[in-house]
Amino acid sequence: MGPFLKSRQNVYQALPLLETGWLEHGFGTRLSGEWNERPDLATLRQTHSDICVCVTGGAGRLGTGDAIITDVPGVRVGVRTADCVPILLVDQQRRAVAAIHAGWRGTAAAISPKAVRELQARFGADPAGMLAAIGPAIGPCCYEVGPEVGARLGEWFPERKDLAGRARIDLAEANRRQLVSAGVPEAQIHTAGLCTFCCAGEFHSWRRDRQTGARMVNAVWIV
């Protein structure tokens, strides 16, 4: 596991984001209680897309898409996951943040780089100054896909020669590589390395449990 710790509320946090001193964040677990039910969350109707939505206030579902960004203090942006990759993106200079939901379709559509570009376009953010935290998601130990998915993700794994058949894919690594391609320094991208499928006592997993309504909240906001 990368530089992550778990709070007494059973929420994972990335130490580099904690060290900024001007934001709050966390990756929920199935044990997070009120964190996963918080009424002040600004979120989206997630559709496994590459759509980024900018918000300036409010709570609840504020649009349709899979990345939500803001630079307004106090606006708690978040996404819900149960195997897909949650990513929290922070621009340190402009003090802007993003929460990203990246399943295989969103990853294939490069939603992570698009969120980086949206922060640039909206707020003048510089990728070289961004921090990224990639939270718990289904790992390559458990995520087997067919050739139709492998073909869509093969661009990010040029070293792989086995994607024409059933293969295991590391979605978190694909997003890490995409963030690097968008200009975020490798040293500023931090991955939890926790598999939601393996850790049944700690995380919801759609693929394991088929509980379509059980999700975990991953959120970030400027204080």
Side-chain angles (χ1 to χ4, degrees):
M1 186 171 73
F4 284 68
L5 58 80
K6 187 166 61 172
S7 73
R8 285 177 291 182
Q9 290 74 39
N10 290 297
V11 175
Y12 279 95
Q13 296 177 300
L15 289 175
L17 271 63
L18 284 176
E19 291 168 357
T20 65
W22 53 268
L23 62 81
E24 297 287 348
H25 79 285
F27 298 92
T29 70
R30 69 186 306 155
L31 307 174
S32 298
E34 292 182 1
W35 174 268
N36 289 332
E37 304 297 333
R38 52 186 318 140
D40 57 357
L41 187 71
T43 189
L44 302 168
R45 186 173 71 86
Q46 297 169 190
T47 59
H48 296 276
S49 70
D50 63 348
I51 298 171
C52 301
V53 177
C54 181
V55 299
T56 57
R61 291 182 177 179
L62 303 181
T64 298
D66 290 271
I68 183 167
I69 71 173
T70 193
D71 68 344
V72 179
V75 178
R76 293 158 164 81
V77 294
V79 293
R80 291 182 167 89
T81 58
D83 282 341
C84 293
V85 182
I87 304 163
L88 303 180
L89 196 57
V90 176
D91 181 76
Q92 300 178 88
Q93 184 65 34
R94 297 293 184 178
R95 294 199 175 189
V97 297
I100 304 166
H101 163 258
W104 77 260
R105 290 179 179 84
T107 302
I111 189 169
S112 296
K114 288 180 180 178
V116 170
R117 292 195 293 272
E118 192 70 14
L119 288 171
Q120 288 179 281
R122 294 273 185 173
F123 310 124
D126 181 1
M130 292 183 187
L131 296 173
I134 301 175
I138 193 167
C141 48
C142 299
Y143 191 50
E144 186 178 40
V145 300
E148 69 285 354
V149 176
R152 296 281 302 277
L153 298 173
E155 173 186 358
W156 302 104
F157 298 102
E159 75 280 9
R160 297 282 298 269
K161 308 302 180 186
D162 61 338
L163 299 182
R166 294 200 66 80
R168 295 183 186 273
I169 290 285
D170 189 339
L171 275 184
E173 174 62 13
N175 281 275
R176 189 195 69 82
R177 294 182 182 192
Q178 289 183 353
L179 289 168
V180 171
S181 77
V184 182
E186 288 193 63
Q188 292 164 207
I189 304 171
H190 308 282
T191 304
L194 294 166
C195 176
T196 49
F197 190 103
C198 285
C199 304
E202 193 164 27
F203 302 112
H204 294 300
S205 167
W206 185 88
R207 181 169 278 214
R208 183 190 63 234
D209 303 327
R210 303 293 176 178
Q211 293 178 341
T212 56
R215 297 290 185 270
M216 299 167 294
V217 163
N218 313 276
V220 61
W221 64 95
I222 303 159
V223 296

